[in-house]
């Protein structure tokens, strides 16, 4: 009886060891296959989303260009001599551009969106500040041009930031 038990163990033990080795090998193979599939899916998803992200960055760069104080003054002429009317027209133009591009925040980084938002607010605040010391709309335009001829507009900083973000994507 004892011999039969030892003989059974002698047959069962190698079968168990072989089964465990096969289990671990197949398990490792399946895990590797799953991770390769995940990487492939991730790469495909990135390929599909990259053009959308690039387009969003392009639109935000264009937004910054359009709200550049010097360029907006050239594009938007005063409707009257009243400084406050012209200021409100400029702010409305900036806000309209912003609303038109607001959805782009989904596709760009939080840091880029913060930079664009800070740029917009800085320009509006500076325009308000310059408007307080201006007598009429034409003087307001001159004062803004003088102000930004001495310093870089905030749009340049945001544009530089956006370009660096795009370089990281590529």
């Amino acid at each position: 009886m004892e011999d039969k038990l030892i003989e059974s163990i002698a047959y069962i033990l190698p079968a168990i060891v072989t089964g465990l080795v096969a289990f671990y090998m197949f398990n490792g193979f399946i895990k590797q296959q799953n991770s390769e599939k995940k990487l492939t899916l991730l790469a495909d998803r990135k390929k599909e989303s990259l053009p959308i992200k690039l387009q969003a960055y392009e639109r935000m760069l264009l937004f910054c260009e359009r709200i550049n104080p010097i360029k907006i003054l050239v594009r938007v002429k005063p409707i009257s001599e009243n400084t406050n009317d012209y200021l409100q027209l400029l702010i409305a133009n900036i806000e309209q551009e912003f609303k038109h591009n607001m959805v782009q925040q989904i596709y760009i980084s939080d840091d880029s969106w913060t930079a664009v938002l800070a740029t917009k607010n800085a320009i509006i605040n500076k325009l308000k500040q310059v408007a307080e010391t201006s007598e009429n709309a034409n003087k307001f335009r001159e004062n803004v041009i003088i102000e930004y001829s001495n310093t870089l507009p905030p749009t340049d900083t945001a544009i530089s930031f956006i370009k660096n973000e795009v370089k990281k994507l590529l």
Side-chain angles (χ1 to χ4, degrees):
M1 175 79 176
E2 195 174 286
D3 287 340
K4 287 194 177 214
L5 182 63
I6 292 175
E7 189 177 319
S8 296
I9 291 176
Y11 287 118
I12 292 174
L13 189 61
I16 291 174
V17 169
T18 304
L20 287 174
V21 168
F23 172 77
Y24 283 115
M25 287 180 66
F26 283 121
N27 194 24
F29 178 74
I30 290 172
K31 283 182 181 179
Q32 181 182 0
Q33 291 289 352
N34 285 340
S35 66
E36 286 176 9
K37 284 181 183 178
K38 286 180 184 178
L39 285 174
T40 303
L41 287 173
L42 185 62
D44 289 345
R45 194 177 304 147
K46 281 195 173 197
K47 277 184 192 175
E48 292 172 7
S49 69
L50 184 63
I52 295 170
K53 286 183 177 189
L54 289 175
Q55 185 180 28
Y57 280 108
E58 288 171 5
R59 289 191 55 163
M60 294 318 301
L61 191 126
L62 181 62
F63 168 74
C64 289
E65 284 293 332
R66 289 186 59 81
I67 68 168
N68 181 310
I70 304 299
K71 292 177 182 176
I72 199 169
L73 288 177
V74 171
R75 196 174 66 254
V76 180
K77 305 288 186 218
I79 53 176
S80 72
E81 284 295 314
N82 188 324
T83 304
N84 197 39
D85 289 347
Y86 189 44
L87 173 65
Q88 294 309 315
L89 179 63
L90 291 173
I91 291 173
N93 196 293
I94 291 170
E95 290 295 341
Q96 180 183 11
E97 288 283 339
F98 182 72
K99 286 178 185 173
H100 182 69
N101 290 294
M102 189 178 271
V103 75
Q104 302 307 319
Q105 67 182 302
I106 295 171
Y107 304 109
I108 66 174
S109 71
D110 289 339
D111 291 338
S112 293
W113 181 252
T114 302
V116 169
L117 195 59
T119 297
K120 176 191 85 99
N121 292 334
I123 289 171
I124 290 173
N125 289 336
K126 182 57 91 172
L127 290 174
K128 287 178 181 178
Q129 186 182 32
V130 173
E132 289 175 0
T133 61
S134 301
E135 300 147 13
N136 59 42
N138 287 328
K139 191 68 174 163
F140 172 55
R141 290 179 83 181
E142 289 175 23
N143 290 344
V144 170
I145 290 170
I146 291 169
E147 182 71 35
Y148 283 109
S149 66
N150 295 333
T151 60
L152 280 175
T155 54
D156 287 359
T157 306
I159 288 170
S160 175
F161 192 86
I162 289 170
K163 286 180 179 179
N164 285 333
E165 289 286 317
V166 169
K167 284 178 186 174
K168 289 178 191 174
L169 281 176
L170 301 176

